Amino acid sequence: MILTPSKVISLNSFSNPLIIEFLRSIYCDAVQLDETRAMNLLLFAEKYLEKDLKITCFEFLTRNLTSENVFRILDFASQQNEKKLWDSGISFLKENLDGCDLSELIKYLDKPQESEFAKSLCDLEDSTVKFVIQQYSELYQKEPAKIQIFEDFLIKNVNMKTIALISNFVQEWGWHQENVLKNSDPVKETREAEKTGMNLRKTVFEWVNKNMKEIQEKNYAQNIPKKFWEEFEEENLKNENSIKEKEAVQENHSEESQELKETK
C-alpha cells in the first residue's frame, strides 16, 4: 500500500512488477515499458490520477503502433473508453492501409462499437472502400483466396457516400478484370473475376433502384458515370422484358390448362 497525507491507497489489485514500475515513475521519473505493461500502467495511472504516468504510457503506445498490434490496442482503448488512444489507432490504420492485414481490418470493422467510437470507424470504413477499389487488381494478385472477403466488404458498403466510387468501379470492371488476369491462370481467374464482377454489379443496380428517389433528391446522380446509367437502364429493360416473357408464358400455360379442362 501507499500512504498519503489523507488516506491509504490499496494496491492489492496490481502485480508487484507493475507496482515497482509505478514507484519508479514517481521517485525516479523513469519507467520501463512494453506494450502490455504500458496498457496496465495506463489503467493504474487512470485509477490513481497519475497524469504524467498516463501521458507517458499513452505516448509509448501511440509511438509504437504497428500493423501487428493496432487491433489489440484499439480493443484496449474501446474497452477502457480511452477515446484519444482509439483515435490514434484509427489514424494509424488510415495512414497505413497498404501495410496492414486488410482481411483482418475488414473483420474488425464488423465489430460493434459504442456510439462514441462508431463515427471514426465509419470514416475508416469509407477509406478502406476507397483503398480496396484503388488496389483491387493488386489485391487479387496478392491474395486471391481472400478476394471473396473484399467483394463482400464492397457489397456491404454500397451507400450514399460510396455509390459514386463503387458505381465507377463497376462501370470500369472490364479494365480491372484485364489487370486481374495478368500473370494468372486464364481459365480459373476469368471465371472467378466474372463471378465477382456480376455479384457486385447486381448489388449496385439493386441498391440504385431501391434508392433512386433519394439519389435524385440529393443530386447524387451527376456523380455517377454516364456509362453506368446506360448499363443500368439497359439492365432494367432486360429485367422488364424478362418479367413480361414470364408473364406471357404463365398466361399461355393458364389458357392451355383451361382449354384442356374444357376438352375433358
Side-chain angles (χ1 to χ4, degrees):
M1 62 181 62
I2 294 178
L3 295 175
T4 71
S6 59
K7 60 182 177 179
V8 175
I9 299 176
S10 174
L11 301 179
N12 292 338
S13 58
F14 295 96
S15 65
N16 288 337
L18 202 63
I19 294 171
I20 290 170
E21 289 306 321
F22 172 64
L23 294 174
R24 192 199 306 274
S25 72
I26 293 176
Y27 296 111
C28 303
D29 195 25
V31 63
Q32 295 177 359
L33 295 176
D34 57 26
E35 179 189 321
T36 301
R37 189 175 292 167
M39 288 192 286
N40 288 331
L41 277 174
L42 192 149
L43 297 179
F44 198 116
E46 181 77 25
K47 183 173 182 178
Y48 297 111
L49 304 178
E50 288 291 333
K51 183 178 179 182
D52 290 343
L53 179 58
K54 182 174 180 179
I55 291 172
T56 298
C57 295
F58 168 80
E59 289 178 347
F60 176 87
L61 290 171
T62 54
R63 189 170 59 248
N64 291 280
L65 280 166
T66 68
S67 57
E68 286 75 29
N69 70 13
V70 63
F71 298 117
R72 289 196 302 272
I73 291 176
L74 281 172
D75 279 338
F76 170 79
S78 175
Q79 290 162 8
Q80 303 303 325
N81 201 32
E82 292 289 345
K83 184 65 166 56
K84 192 175 179 182
L85 182 59
W86 168 271
D87 288 340
S88 295
I90 294 296
S91 295
F92 173 86
L93 283 170
K94 284 182 179 179
E95 295 167 6
N96 296 277
L97 284 171
D98 57 342
C100 73
D101 186 330
L102 201 58
S103 59
E104 285 301 311
L105 170 58
I106 288 171
K107 290 177 185 176
Y108 194 85
L109 289 169
D110 276 337
K111 294 177 70 172
Q113 299 291 343
E114 296 293 332
S115 58
E116 184 180 1
F117 299 93
K119 184 181 184 303
S120 56
L121 208 59
C122 288
D123 293 340
L124 175 59
E125 202 164 46
D126 293 341
S127 297
T128 306
V129 167
K130 185 176 181 180
F131 179 81
V132 168
I133 287 174
Q134 290 175 338
Q135 303 296 321
Y136 188 84
S137 300
E138 289 78 4
L139 291 171
Y140 203 116
Q141 295 285 348
K142 186 179 176 182
E143 301 183 284
K146 296 181 178 179
I147 204 64
Q148 188 65 47
I149 295 173
F150 305 144
E151 175 195 352
D152 291 343
F153 174 71
L154 292 179
I155 287 173
K156 181 182 175 183
N157 284 280
V158 177
N159 54 53
M160 284 296 173
K161 291 179 71 175
T162 63
I163 184 59
L165 193 63
I166 294 180
S167 63
N168 189 66
F169 176 70
V170 168
Q171 186 265 314
E172 293 179 344
W173 181 251
W175 179 85
H176 289 285
Q177 184 177 355
E178 191 175 305
N179 278 274
V180 163
L181 297 178
K182 289 179 181 177
N183 303 316
S184 303
D185 177 343
V187 176
K188 179 182 177 182
E189 298 297 342
T190 298
R191 184 168 59 249
E192 292 301 316
E194 285 177 348
K195 179 182 176 183
T196 300
M198 286 189 294
N199 288 344
L200 184 57
R201 186 172 182 267
K202 179 183 177 183
T203 298
V204 173
F205 282 174
E206 288 175 350
W207 186 91
V208 170
N209 264 322
K210 183 178 178 181
N211 295 275
M212 181 62 74
K213 184 178 179 180
E214 188 176 358
I215 289 172
Q216 292 172 337
E217 288 174 350
K218 294 184 176 180
N219 292 323
Y220 274 64
Q222 60 186 357
N223 299 323
I224 298 174
K226 182 179 178 181
K227 190 172 180 181
F228 172 87
W229 286 119
E230 292 172 355
E231 293 178 1
F232 175 75
E233 293 297 335
E234 183 180 337
E235 186 72 17
N236 277 347
L237 185 60
K238 280 183 184 178
N239 290 337
E240 289 175 7
N241 290 337
S242 176
I243 290 171
K244 288 178 181 178
E245 287 175 4
K246 287 179 181 178
E247 289 175 347
V249 169
Q250 289 176 351
E251 187 176 343
N252 289 336
H253 180 71
S254 297
E255 289 176 355
E256 290 173 359
S257 297
Q258 185 63 32
E259 289 175 0
L260 186 59
K261 288 179 182 178
E262 291 175 356
T263 302
K264 289 181 179 180

